[in-house]
Amino acid sequence: MLVKDFMIREVFVARPDFTLKEILRILIENKVGGVPVVDEHDKLLGMVTDGDILRYLTPAEEAIMGYFTYITVLPGEELDEKVTSKMNDKVSQIIKNKRITKLSPEDPLDELIKVLSKHHFKKIPVVDKNDKVVGIISRGDALRALYKEFVQKLE
């Protein structure tokens, strides 16, 4: 069984200039946990997930700064302040310095299982030979494929 046999072909995507507000709308309205970020030619640039957003919005904690014998305590940031100030930030600010892991539609199921287990990803973009996004695959998709390929055959 190959990735193309069970990948999701209808993929919601984001562009690097989308705002955090736009990304949240895509995730919530489409009930997805992450989307590939693509350029104007639909080539993969990265992924932005619900986890990335939550980490990006984590309020800053109280900080203590010391200069010789003078100590200053800086207040932490509240969640509402952080969220309000970040809503117009660009996706490119959230996904910076991310290494991209991707699969080909021709990759076998065992390759998908290896990638998911090694990197602990929940979703992986599927790209063609030109690096254009053609699908996405999740842990749930992998489990359904395993079930169909092995468990149903035993029943």
Side-chain angles (χ1 to χ4, degrees):
M1 184 174 276
L2 303 176
V3 166
K4 69 181 179 184
D5 298 328
F6 55 94
M7 69 183 189
I8 297 168
R9 294 175 191 273
E10 184 182 343
V11 181
F12 301 98
V13 298
R15 307 271 182 220
D17 61 342
F18 280 20
T19 64
L20 180 55
K21 186 185 338 181
E22 290 173 305
I23 292 300
L24 286 170
R25 184 174 289 121
I26 291 169
L27 296 181
I28 301 305
E29 289 179 358
N30 298 293
K31 299 179 182 173
V32 295
V35 293
V37 179
V38 298
D39 68 12
E40 63 276 0
H41 303 291
D42 291 330
K43 289 191 177 186
L44 183 65
L45 299 173
M47 283 284 293
V48 63
T49 66
D50 47 10
D52 295 327
I53 293 169
L54 291 174
R55 283 184 290 278
Y56 188 72
L57 293 176
T58 301
E61 296 182 13
E62 182 176 273
I64 299 175
M65 298 179 68
Y67 301 100
F68 302 104
T69 58
Y70 179 72
I71 296 177
T72 303
V73 177
L74 302 173
E77 190 173 29
E78 297 295 324
L79 179 62
D80 60 341
E81 295 169 346
K82 182 84 171 205
V83 171
T84 303
S85 71
K86 299 285 186 186
M87 274 301 118
N88 291 315
D89 286 2
K90 303 295 182 197
V91 170
S92 56
Q93 293 174 261
I94 300 170
I95 65 163
K96 60 185 174 185
N97 299 325
K98 293 276 186 170
R99 196 185 71 203
I100 303 173
T101 299
K102 56 195 172 189
L103 290 168
S104 160
E106 301 301 321
D107 284 334
L109 176 59
D110 62 332
E111 181 64 21
L112 168 64
I113 301 300
K114 287 176 193 173
V115 170
L116 286 171
S117 61
K118 178 180 179 184
H119 298 288
H120 304 278
F121 293 133
K122 293 181 181 180
K123 287 157 208 42
I124 299 175
V126 181
V127 298
D128 65 14
K129 63 181 184 254
N130 297 316
D131 223 23
K132 182 178 175 185
V133 175
V134 295
I136 195 161
I137 199 145
S138 71
R139 289 178 184 176
D141 299 323
L143 290 176
R144 282 186 286 283
L146 282 170
Y147 180 78
K148 183 178 175 183
E149 185 72 9
F150 301 105
V151 178
Q152 280 187 333
K153 289 180 179 179
L154 296 174
E155 295 178 338

